[in-house]
Every structure is written in C-alpha cells, then in structure tokens.
Amino acid sequence: MHEKKIKGDIGLAFSIAVLTEQLWNVNLPLSESTKYDLIAEKNGVCKKVQVRYTSPKNNILKVKLRSSWSDKNGTHNKDREIGDYDTLAVFCPENKEVYFINDSEFSSKTGLNLRINNLKKNEHKARYAEDYKLMK
C-alpha cells in the first residue's frame, strides 16, 4: 500500500477517535471523491471535515491544502476552495494530537502553519496548535 495513503488512514483514524471522545457522531462518505474525509454531527449540527497528516519541522506543522491525484492522464493538483469543507483536522504523529481549524478562520488555498510550541513573538508566522484541540 502507498505510504501517503497509509498516513492519511492514520490521520483519519486518530481524528475519528478524538471526535468521538468529544462526543461527536462520525460518519464516513461512501465515495473517495468527496472534498472532505468525514462528517461529524453533534446536537443537530453537521460539519464536513478534511483530515491532513503532517509531521512538524522546527516545531511548525506546515499543512498543505492542495489535493493531488494521478490517473492515466498524469498527475493533477487542485487548490482548496473556501467552502470545500467546514473544518480542517490536522493530525501530528509526533505528539498524537489532532487540531481542528474552522474553514472560516483561514483564507489560504494552498497551506497554513501551526506552531506546536510557544515560540517567541514574531519568530515564525503561525497559529498556536494548542488553540485548536476542540472542534467547534
């Protein structure tokens, strides 16, 4: 099995576990062609969630938002569009944490950064991962 696919499966499994602990009901789409990996429901509110597996470098999680796939015509890339999903779930394998960022909190179509420690102010432009442990 392809390493990228295995990492995606691990990120999805951890995200499901964390959401279940947070009392969300988790549903999986039947198709792999959706723009999201799961649907979470709590108190009548449904959220489409896209999951990313990202290892830190220098205590920064650099999250790529571009989707890519290959077919008989070659490799294709597609930038994220605002509204493709409601929440981005970022799994960090080093600390086994999942961070949930609402789609409305970022506008980038290609990527974003999360700090996994407290760096000095302005040392690196990134959000603090600790602020995103609960899905809202």
Side-chain angles (χ1 to χ4, degrees):
M1 185 174 260
H2 194 272
E3 183 180 349
K4 187 175 179 181
K5 176 70 174 141
I6 292 170
K7 287 180 178 180
D9 290 345
I10 292 168
L12 181 62
F14 271 88
S15 296
I16 291 169
V18 170
L19 287 169
T20 302
E21 286 179 339
Q22 293 180 17
L23 303 178
W24 288 86
N25 296 309
V26 178
N27 302 278
L28 299 176
L30 294 176
S31 171
E32 285 193 22
S33 63
T34 60
K35 296 178 182 179
Y36 49 88
D37 294 309
L38 62 89
I39 297 172
E41 181 275 329
K42 186 177 189 179
N43 299 325
V45 175
C46 290
K47 298 209 177 222
K48 299 176 290 184
V49 180
Q50 173 61 246
V51 179
R52 291 286 192 251
Y53 178 113
T54 306
S55 295
K57 290 185 182 172
N58 298 320
N59 294 309
I60 300 290
L61 292 170
K62 293 187 178 206
V63 185
K64 294 179 183 175
L65 301 176
R66 178 175 282 169
S67 297
S68 61
W69 70 94
S70 298
D71 62 17
K72 67 180 181 178
N73 298 315
T75 300
H76 309 275
N77 293 304
K78 183 176 183 329
D79 290 347
R80 162 210 180 252
E81 294 293 330
I82 296 171
D84 281 352
Y85 42 83
D86 303 309
T87 303
L88 176 66
V90 180
F91 172 67
C92 176
E94 275 70 14
N95 63 10
K96 306 288 192 260
E97 295 282 355
V98 181
Y99 306 104
F100 301 96
I101 306 153
N102 288 331
D103 177 67
S104 61
E105 293 187 37
F106 63 97
S107 59
S108 175
K109 293 185 175 193
T110 58
L112 61 86
N113 296 331
L114 287 175
R115 299 178 200 179
I116 58 171
N117 71 353
N118 294 329
L119 299 175
K120 293 178 185 173
K121 187 175 182 181
N122 297 326
E123 187 174 337
H124 197 286
K125 292 183 180 180
R127 303 166 189 270
Y128 287 107
E130 283 293 313
D131 296 338
Y132 299 97
K133 283 187 160 186
L134 294 175
M135 187 157 95
K136 300 173 186 169

